[in-house]
Amino acid sequence: MITVVGTGTGAPLAPDARAALAGAGLVVGARRHLLAAGPPDTAEQVVLGPLAPALDRVARYLAKREGASEPRPVVVLASGDPGFFGIVRALAERFGAGSLEVRPGVSSVAAAFARAGLAWDDAVVVSAHGRDPRTAANVCRAHPKVAVLTGPGAGPAELGAALRSSGRVLVVATALGSPGSGRGTGERLERVTPAEAASRDWGTEVSVVLSLDESRVLSPARTIAGPPPGPARWALDEDEFTHRDSMITKFEVRALALARLGPGLGDHVWDIGAGSGSVAVECARFGAAVTAVEKTPDGVRRVRANAAAHGVDVRVVHGAAPTVLGDLPDPDAVFVGGGGRELPAIVAACARRARRSVVVALAALDRVPSVREALTAAGLDCEGVLLQSSRLAPLPGDVTRLAAANPVFLLWGVRPPARSEGAAQ
């Protein structure tokens, strides 16, 4: 048996956890946990650094004690709740869930929301510890209440820099559970703007950053925790969006475009030449962070109105592509629905920066070759279809005809997976 003890955010160990510790033959934990818990002198100790060597040490100890008449268990000390972005996953994968006895503590996320006086059943939790902070930043752009578990290179300064134009407030929870009070001596809770967070040196103690859109953080009572589920339907009818003279991506085209874009939580999607913003809104409904680029003032107002009507957050940039793209964070996927003569240059600029895919809708056959060339020149694998649909339409006499919609070319370029040199054939 391996007993995993969550130390919470600084509270004394419960009696059962202390009893398990007193009988341990091997105790594993960070140096601060070992010092605070005070393992028995008779127990071997492993100071956690890289995880793999510590797990190997546990395996050797378990193998050695198999023949012992009174084997003494292993105790692993971990911060917060060890089953929440913690060591339980790695231990279960290595030794099996049946070998674990987990005694959870209060997670740092729960503690941070408690200190801020906020419920968190509607929050999205994302870990940036040891990961690219882009995903965490995109989740913060898309959702009104997010908790980010931070790490070196992915702390409040990096999140603040990424969220400068988001309108969010950041609540930085530092050294949760530490004794003492006052700056630099104990836990702190600070509300800052993203710009203020980006300009600060936060040191290495930060554990949780809350990203809040305070105009939307209060939600009704819920029965399901976490982010709202994905949309029950998509490729919405055109009449569910405000648009001008049918200048909107038709739902048949939008359905395939969404399938090729694959928007999801943690993604950043550009909608270029957004018009009504129907593609932008649908991507946001799937949980992606979305930036819509629109050059007309009327179009900007329509995109904002449609986003508000569907309850999603879409950042709208007023300007013409490709000129305004330089200041935007890199996208995972891009939809291009307008561009005129500038279309090949716009597609080329988007294709150079898209991490995953670019989808282009166009009506003019003459522009298909140049768009294909722009996609393939950027290293994307290009495919496409001509979409021709006819909708049922009524005729007098209670009969029905087929009304043909204008044909549309849909091209998409997908970045191929990186190929490792020397891989086995």
Side-chain angles (χ1 to χ4, degrees), residues 377-397:
L380 277 60
D381 296 334
C382 182
E383 297 182 61
V385 295
L386 173 64
L387 295 177
Q388 295 176 287
S389 63
S390 297
R391 300 181 182 181
L392 298 177
L395 281 173

Side-chain angles (χ1 to χ4, degrees), residues 128 133-134 136-138 140-141 148 150-151 153-172 190-202 206 208-212 315 327 329:
R134 287 183 65 258
N138 289 337
C140 292
R141 292 186 184 104
V148 181
T150 65
E158 289 79 9
L159 284 173
L163 298 173
R164 285 180 186 273
S165 58
S166 67
R168 299 301 192 259
V169 170
L170 301 184
V171 179
V172 182
E190 299 180 71
R191 293 168 53 88
V192 294
T193 66
E196 289 169 340
S199 66
R200 293 260 305 268
D201 179 2
W202 295 90
V206 171
V208 182
V209 174
L210 308 182
S211 170
L212 306 174
R315 179 191 176 194
D327 294 332

Side-chain angles (χ1 to χ4, degrees), residues 90-359:
L91 289 169
E93 289 173 352
R94 180 70 179 269
F95 303 106
S99 68
L100 305 182
E101 182 180 349
V102 182
R103 298 176 181 177
V106 176
S107 73
S108 57
V109 172
F113 277 111
R115 304 293 194 272
L118 293 172
W120 64 290
D121 49 29
D122 56 343
V124 183
V125 182
V126 57
S127 176
H129 188 84
R131 299 168 172 86
D132 186 341
R134 287 183 65 258
T135 297
N138 289 337
V139 174
C140 292
R141 292 186 184 104
H143 291 272
K145 186 186 290 184
V146 181
V148 181
L149 297 164
T150 65
E158 289 79 9
L159 284 173
L163 298 173
R164 285 180 186 273
S165 58
S166 67
R168 299 301 192 259
V169 170
L170 301 184
V171 179
V172 182
T174 307
L176 287 167
S178 297
S181 60
R183 186 173 181 81
T185 61
E187 72 172 34
R188 302 188 302 277
L189 203 72
E190 299 180 71
R191 293 168 53 88
V192 294
T193 66
E196 289 169 340
S199 66
R200 293 260 305 268
D201 179 2
W202 295 90
T204 59
E205 292 183 302
V206 171
S207 56
V208 182
V209 174
L210 308 182
S211 170
L212 306 174
D213 177 354
E214 295 194 313
S215 66
R216 296 199 293 154
V217 294
L218 293 178
S219 61
R222 309 177 76 225
T223 56
I224 300 175
R233 60 193 183 95
W234 50 93
L236 302 175
D237 290 340
E238 290 90 69
D239 60 9
E240 297 193 49
F241 300 93
T242 299
H243 55 88
R244 176 178 61 85
D245 300 331
S246 295
M247 296 295 290
I248 183 173
T249 304
K250 302 302 188 288
F251 68 75
E252 301 93 334
V253 178
R254 212 178 321 123
L256 183 55
L258 289 167
R260 292 296 178 258
L261 290 167
L265 188 65
D267 289 335
H268 182 203
V269 180
W270 289 354
D271 182 1
I272 308 299
S276 67
S278 61
V279 173
V281 167
E282 296 233 47
C283 288
R285 292 175 73 236
F286 278 103
V290 182
T291 300
V293 176
E294 172 56 41
K295 66 181 180 181
T296 69
D298 284 349
V300 167
R301 287 192 287 271
R302 274 191 292 272
V303 176
R304 288 175 174 156
N306 284 322
H310 288 275
V312 293
D313 191 344
V314 173
R315 179 191 176 194
V316 186
V317 175
H318 182 199
T323 305
V324 299
L325 302 182
D327 294 332
L328 303 183
D330 285 345
D332 294 283
V334 183
F335 178 75
V336 183
R341 291 192 178 94
E342 294 292 322
L343 183 61
I346 293 171
V347 172
C350 293
R352 285 193 295 270
R353 296 183 55 192
R355 293 170 176 260
R356 187 173 67 229
S357 60
V358 177
V359 178

